[in-house]
């Protein structure tokens, strides 16, 4: 789905007209969020959004994977496998699965961490535990009450923020903001913007920390594109963020093309972009997430360059302390109930 432009405008007739539906959707979701989830038996860290669309959950999950391993943990990610046909539960295998099977994000993450795809998150937990998981990393699912979450980290793009602040379909929020803030343990603000400073202030009143981070281009990706003119395309939640990251890295963007999130590229679209790039002597560049959806197709030229990024926190020690404290408290709660 491509996000409606009016979601990110302060005033819109369309948003006003859809407000009653947003109020109904929000009330249903808020009531659903009050349900008590099932205890997984091991700590569960949820990485989610307040809104639909992308903000940087996948890089955050991968950064947490690295930290958890440094702490001696064995993390396994559970995902619903959005865009994939398999209901699961199934452990993602890059040699056996495609994005059409398990979704693009699981296929991308499995290079760095085991990923269990399951429409039913409890089945995903059981499979993850069978793989020796000591910690579950939930990719999305913040608003879903099915599974008890020990820690909920909310990711926000600091430049885009939360748009008009209204609930879907009048705006991008998945539930009323107040209800979501009440269930948040920490905010991960990606970038240098201030569009979500108000949310951070509300969380600060509840003594919930704000963790600043930024997407850092991979050095090898930058080197591969240095001195070249680029045709960049992306089908992610915010393609413009990808284009900004390229420009910030000193890459010359001669042309860009944005698609809807999780877009399944057609043969004609790939052929047209490849022809345009060849004619103008441009290098085709896309995100790792987009390239995951293109893997294994015979109509995709091998000249497309994936641009890798990783999330770096301004205060990694604060993140380490936060996760360590929450893991300790999660285990202490379970021990005290025995």
């Amino acid at each position: 789905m491509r996000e409606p432009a009016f979601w990110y405008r302060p005033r819109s007739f369309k948003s006003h007209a859809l407000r009653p539906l947003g109020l109904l959707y929000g009330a249903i979701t808020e009531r659903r969020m009050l349900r008590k989830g099932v205890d997984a038996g091991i700590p569960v860290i949820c990485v989610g959004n307040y809104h639909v669309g992308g903000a940087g959950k996948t890089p955050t999950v991968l950064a947490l994977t690295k930290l958890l391993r440094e702490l001696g943990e064995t993390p396994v990610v559970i995902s619903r496998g959005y865009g994939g046909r398999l209901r699961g539960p199934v452990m993602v295998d890059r040699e056996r699965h495609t994005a059409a099977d398990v979704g693009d994000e699981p296929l991308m993450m499995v290079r760095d961490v085991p990923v269990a795809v399951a429409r039913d998150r409890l089945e995903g937990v059981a499979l993850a535990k069978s793989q020796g998981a000591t910690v579950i990393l939930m990719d999305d699912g913040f608003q879903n009450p099915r599974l008890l979450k020990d820690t909920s980290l909310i990711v926000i793009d600091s430049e885009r923020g939360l748009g008009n602040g209204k609930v879907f379909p009048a705006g991008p929020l998945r539930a009323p903001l107040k209800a979501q803030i009440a269930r948040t343990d920490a905010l991960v603000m990606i970038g240098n913007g201030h569009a979500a400073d108000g949310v951070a202030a509300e969380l600060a009143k509840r003594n919930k920390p704000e963790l600043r981070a930024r997407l850092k281009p991979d050095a090898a990706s930058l080197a591969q594109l240095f001195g070249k003119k680029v045709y960049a395309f992306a089908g992610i939640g915010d393609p413009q963020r990808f284009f900004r990251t390229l420009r910030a890295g000193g890459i010359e963007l001669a042309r860009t093309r944005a698609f809807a999130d999780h877009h399944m590229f057609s043969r004609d679209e790939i052929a047209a972009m490849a022809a345009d790039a060849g004619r103008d002597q441009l290098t085709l560049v896309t995100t790792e997430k987009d390239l995951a959806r293109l893997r294994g197709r015979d109509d995709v030229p091998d000249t497309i360059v994936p641009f890798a990024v990783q999330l770096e926190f301004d205060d990694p020690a604060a993140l380490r302390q936060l996760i360590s404290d929450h893991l300790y408290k999660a285990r202490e709660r379970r021990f005290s109930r025995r």
Side-chain angles (χ1 to χ4, degrees):
M1 160 179 160
R2 190 183 294 274
E3 295 178 347
F6 71 80
W7 281 0
Y8 288 88
R9 294 176 189 152
R11 292 173 182 244
S12 165
F13 172 76
K14 290 181 179 178
S15 177
H16 182 73
L18 290 169
R19 187 169 178 267
L21 283 177
L23 291 173
L24 176 61
Y25 182 91
I28 293 171
T29 307
E30 182 176 3
R31 184 172 181 177
R32 186 166 172 252
M33 289 173 67
L34 293 173
R35 297 176 190 168
K36 188 174 181 180
V38 176
D39 190 344
I42 59 176
V44 173
I45 300 174
C46 175
V47 179
N49 294 139
Y50 288 151
H51 61 297
V52 300
K57 291 192 303 294
T58 299
T60 304
V61 169
L62 294 177
L64 289 173
T65 294
K66 181 180 178 182
L67 171 59
L68 288 167
R69 285 175 174 158
E70 290 172 356
L71 293 173
E73 303 289 348
T74 303
V76 174
V77 172
I78 62 169
S79 169
R80 293 190 76 251
Y82 181 85
R85 64 178 180 81
L86 297 181
R87 291 190 56 83
V90 61
M91 295 301 299
V92 178
D93 183 343
R94 277 178 66 85
E95 299 303 317
R96 188 162 57 96
H97 295 132
T98 66
D101 296 323
V102 296
D104 49 15
E105 290 163 349
L107 202 62
M108 173 185 164
M109 289 188 290
V110 78
R111 294 177 310 173
D112 300 291
V113 59
V115 180
V117 161
R119 294 289 192 269
D120 185 324
R121 287 186 170 90
L122 294 184
E123 292 181 352
V125 166
L127 180 57
K129 290 171 72 173
S130 76
Q131 303 297 307
T134 62
V135 178
I136 297 292
L137 277 173
M138 278 185 69
D139 176 31
D140 211 355
F142 173 66
Q143 293 80 12
N144 190 300
R146 178 78 164 142
L147 185 62
L148 176 68
K149 304 162 189 70
D150 295 286
T151 308
S152 290
L153 305 183
I154 296 300
V155 183
I156 296 182
D157 184 315
S158 66
E159 295 187 25
R160 297 184 82 209
L162 300 176
N164 61 15
K166 294 182 171 59
V167 177
F168 180 88
L173 293 185
R174 298 182 178 188
L177 185 58
K178 185 177 179 180
Q180 298 195 82
I181 286 176
R183 291 161 179 78
T184 301
D185 294 297
L187 192 67
V188 177
M189 293 267 275
I190 299 180
N192 300 312
H194 300 282
D197 285 359
V199 178
E202 286 299 315
L203 282 163
K205 294 176 184 177
R206 301 167 182 261
N207 295 316
K208 305 296 184 180
E210 169 196 354
L211 302 166
R212 283 273 176 176
R214 60 209 70 252
L215 293 170
K216 181 180 178 182
D218 176 71
S221 293
L222 286 175
Q224 193 171 2
L225 298 174
F226 182 75
K228 296 179 180 178
K229 292 184 178 181
V230 161
Y231 183 165
F233 68 96
I236 57 176
D238 182 12
Q240 297 303 323
R241 183 181 62 202
F242 171 56
F243 303 149
R244 289 195 301 269
T245 302
L246 286 168
R247 291 189 180 100
I251 305 302
E252 182 181 353
L253 270 63
R255 185 174 299 182
T256 63
R257 188 170 178 185
F259 297 87
D261 197 13
H262 301 285
H263 180 73
M264 296 304 292
F265 300 98
S266 70
R267 183 179 292 268
D268 288 345
E269 288 167 341
I270 294 297
M273 289 190 290
D276 290 344
R279 183 186 62 246
D280 298 331
Q281 296 184 314
L282 306 177
T283 300
L284 272 177
V285 179
T286 193
T287 70
E288 291 187 301
K289 177 178 167 180
D290 286 295
L291 199 62
R293 293 198 300 282
L294 296 171
R295 268 183 87 245
R297 287 176 45 171
D298 58 11
D299 60 327
V300 177
D302 57 10
T303 52
I304 297 178
V305 177
F307 190 77
V309 296
Q310 60 183 5
L311 192 67
E312 289 194 349
F313 285 82
D314 291 359
D315 190 350
L319 174 67
R320 186 185 184 95
Q321 189 63 55
L322 173 76
I323 296 301
S324 296
D325 288 347
H326 277 259
L327 289 176
Y328 175 79
K329 290 175 183 176
R331 289 178 171 130
E332 185 179 46
R333 282 194 297 270
R334 289 180 174 87
F335 181 79
S336 66
R337 291 200 295 264
R338 290 180 181 176

